[in-house]
Amino acid sequence: MKKGLFIVSLFFSLSCFAQFSLKDFTALHGITGSWKMQKKKGMIIEEWKLLDDSTMTGYTYLKTVSDSIIPQENVRLTFRNGSIVYSPVTAGQNNEEPVAFTLTHIKDGKYFFENKAHDVPTLITYHLLDNRTLNASISGTIGGAKREIPDNYVRRR
């Protein structure tokens, strides 16, 4: 009886997690390349490379108005066993260790990566509108208020 209850509870706990396919991940290949966004301090550049059919890497940096390069983030985006995980290492944060954000759902071409245990952000979204426009955002709760920071990129090359 206990074994049967264990199997049933395991089935229900596993069914709570979204399962994605390689096809879902392949749609993210469209962000491969170089993206830019103008900010007051300079140009934010986000570059994505495809390592293999289930692994991508991203590198974000600030190119200041004086042409200095200031690293912002390194990201590993992976598809493994039905899960798509966005793992950034942000400069000067979290002891330079990656923080995993797991894809929870896809809606209208927008990918939602969550880590509710992380302080801020708890949600990262990516939306490739077309071949030239990439919208991303981070959001979370700061001081009891929900806040979202949008980043709107255009393709560099």
Side-chain angles (χ1 to χ4, degrees):
M1 179 69 171
K2 287 182 183 180
K3 187 176 182 181
L5 287 174
F6 173 76
I7 291 171
V8 169
S9 64
L10 179 64
F11 172 76
F12 282 114
S13 65
L14 289 176
S15 65
C16 293
F17 296 102
Q19 291 288 303
F20 297 97
S21 68
L22 186 57
K23 183 178 178 182
D24 295 317
F25 186 80
T26 302
L28 286 165
H29 292 184
I31 67 173
T32 301
S34 186
W35 302 87
K36 65 181 179 180
M37 174 180 52
Q38 188 64 49
K39 293 288 189 175
K40 290 178 186 176
K41 295 180 180 181
M43 185 78 63
I44 298 285
I45 308 293
E46 186 162 309
E47 297 178 346
W48 284 95
K49 294 180 181 176
L50 183 64
L51 297 183
D52 58 46
D53 66 343
S54 60
T55 308
M56 296 175 67
T57 58
Y59 175 61
T60 305
Y61 60 93
L62 170 66
K63 184 175 182 183
T64 67
V65 290
S66 62
D67 284 336
S68 295
I69 302 295
I70 302 172
Q72 304 290 300
E73 191 171 72
N74 284 300
V75 180
R76 191 163 189 86
L77 186 58
T78 58
F79 171 75
R80 304 283 187 275
N81 302 318
S83 292
I84 299 174
V85 179
Y86 180 99
S87 299
V89 175
T90 305
Q93 295 182 16
N94 196 47
N95 297 318
E96 307 278 331
E97 293 292 325
V99 177
F101 291 81
T102 303
L103 184 68
T104 57
H105 64 285
I106 304 167
K107 183 177 181 183
D108 300 326
K110 189 181 265 190
Y111 284 68
F112 296 84
F113 299 90
E114 289 189 63
N115 180 336
K116 292 180 181 179
H118 191 250
D119 52 0
V120 176
T122 54
L123 177 66
I124 298 171
T125 62
Y126 269 81
H127 187 198
L128 183 63
L129 293 173
D130 55 45
N131 194 38
R132 297 214 18 89
T133 311
L134 175 64
N135 292 341
S137 69
I138 60 170
S139 58
T141 302
I142 301 173
K146 188 167 176 121
R147 185 163 178 220
E148 180 178 8
I149 301 170
D151 290 330
N152 301 309
Y153 293 93
V154 294
R155 193 173 291 278
R156 278 180 78 199
R157 322 179 191 122

